[in-house]
């Protein structure tokens, strides 16, 4: 992997296809960043293997080894601060972050969510979109604040919800878009092209355009 000055830390819990999309975007030059560390709260998260395969540092941090959720999150924060990460990317990280953790990385934590926020925050949202009968859904990259899935929106992508969809087919269609917009959002942040005003994210022109 090439050496970039913009460092990200990635938090994962599961299969890690978004992490993979970030790794791939770095490898093919679409994203000028380095992954300083991948941290997981799940020992057997396939995401860890994806990172290890590329020689990226990983760490499994067992929540049971900590007295409280807060202690756990402070330990996570230490790992990230020690590596001087510029951005924390949640990529299928299934724990809600403690407010103190969030306060330690102001406007420096982002998440990818498989719905068009503010519709369907929380869990099982592809099923909720189908059950509600929406005709379009999609995904959202947003800054993380103390409101779950409620932070300022950076990028969104829209997909149709088809009458034949089940949770599997809709999730797959959304996931393809997740893998496109997540690395793109990180690149915009790395280029310092985003600013937040009254919770609205605006884009500055690309330096190269
Ligand atoms: C994705 O659908 C993402 O939007 C949500 O969790 C899932 C993680 O998938 N936050 P993966 O681990 O990146 O494959």
């Amino acid at each position: 992997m090439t050496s970039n000055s913009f460092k990200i830390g990635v938090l994962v819990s599961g299969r890690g296809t978004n992490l993979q999309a970030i790794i791939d975007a770095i490898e093919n030059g679409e994203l000028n960043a380095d992954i300083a560390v991948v941290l997981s709260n799940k020992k057997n998260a396939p995401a860890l293997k994806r990172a290890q395969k590329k020689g990226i540092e990983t760490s499994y941090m067992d929540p049971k080894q900590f007295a409280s959720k807060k202690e756990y999150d402070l330990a996570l924060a230490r790992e990230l601060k020690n590596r001087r990460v510029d951005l924390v990317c949640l990529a299928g990280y299934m724990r809600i972050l403690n407010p103190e953790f969030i306060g330690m990385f102001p406007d420096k934590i982002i998440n990818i969510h498989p719905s068009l926020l503010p519709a369907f925050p929380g869990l099982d949202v592809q099923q909720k979109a189908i059950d509600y009968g929406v005709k379009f859904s999609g995904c959202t990259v947003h800054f993380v604040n103390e409101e779950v899935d409620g932070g300022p929106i950076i990028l969104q992508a829209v997909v149709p919800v088809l009458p034949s969809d089940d949770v599997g087919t809709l999730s797959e269609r959304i996931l393809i878009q997740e893998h496109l917009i997540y690395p793109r959002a990180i690149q915009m942040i790395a280029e310092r092209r985003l600013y937040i005003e009254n919770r609205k994210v605006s884009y500055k022109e690309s330096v190269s355009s």
Side-chain angles (χ1 to χ4, degrees), residues 113-149:
H113 181 80
S115 79
L116 290 176
L117 291 170
F120 311 119
L123 296 174
D124 303 323
V125 297
Q126 297 95 336
Q127 187 63 57
K128 283 178 187 156
I130 291 172
D131 292 346
Y132 195 92
V134 294
K135 303 300 180 209
F136 292 91
S137 188
C139 49
T140 304
V141 182
H142 63 92
F143 285 105
V144 171
N145 62 14
E146 288 183 24
E147 189 191 336
V148 175
D149 299 323

Side-chain angles (χ1 to χ4, degrees), residues 14-19 91-92 94 111-114 126 175 178-179:
R15 67 191 166 175
T17 65
N18 278 288
L19 169 67
M94 297 306 285
N111 182 41
I112 176 94
H113 181 80
Q126 297 95 336
L175 202 58
E178 293 186 31
H179 298 163

Side-chain angles (χ1 to χ4, degrees), residues 34-173:
D34 273 334
I35 301 177
V37 69
V38 174
L39 300 173
S40 174
N41 64 318
K42 294 281 181 194
K43 191 172 183 188
N44 297 317
L48 290 174
K49 295 231 162 52
R50 292 178 189 269
Q52 286 154 5
K53 223 170 157 178
K54 299 289 178 179
I56 297 166
E57 190 189 349
T58 61
S59 178
Y60 157 58
M61 294 178 60
D62 181 359
K64 288 195 219 79
Q65 301 298 318
F66 295 85
S68 64
K69 280 197 70 178
K70 184 174 159 187
E71 290 301 317
Y72 182 81
D73 282 6
L74 292 178
L76 272 186
R78 267 195 304 278
E79 295 294 325
L80 295 160
K81 292 276 182 196
N82 284 344
R83 290 167 183 84
R84 299 179 187 285
V85 302
D86 299 292
L87 185 70
V88 180
C89 300
L90 311 185
Y93 185 63
M94 297 306 285
R95 285 168 66 94
I96 293 178
L97 291 165
N98 184 278
E100 256 181 78
F101 179 100
I102 295 171
M104 288 169 81
F105 299 92
D107 299 334
K108 294 206 173 335
I109 310 171
I110 63 172
N111 182 41
I112 176 94
H113 181 80
S115 79
L116 290 176
L117 291 170
F120 311 119
L123 296 174
D124 303 323
V125 297
Q126 297 95 336
Q127 187 63 57
K128 283 178 187 156
I130 291 172
D131 292 346
Y132 195 92
V134 294
K135 303 300 180 209
F136 292 91
S137 188
C139 49
T140 304
V141 182
H142 63 92
F143 285 105
V144 171
N145 62 14
E146 288 183 24
E147 189 191 336
V148 175
D149 299 323
I153 290 171
I154 302 168
L155 287 177
Q156 292 185 304
V158 180
V159 305
V161 180
L162 305 177
S164 57
D165 269 334
D166 59 24
V167 68
T169 56
L170 179 59
S171 300
E172 244 172 70
R173 194 175 307 121

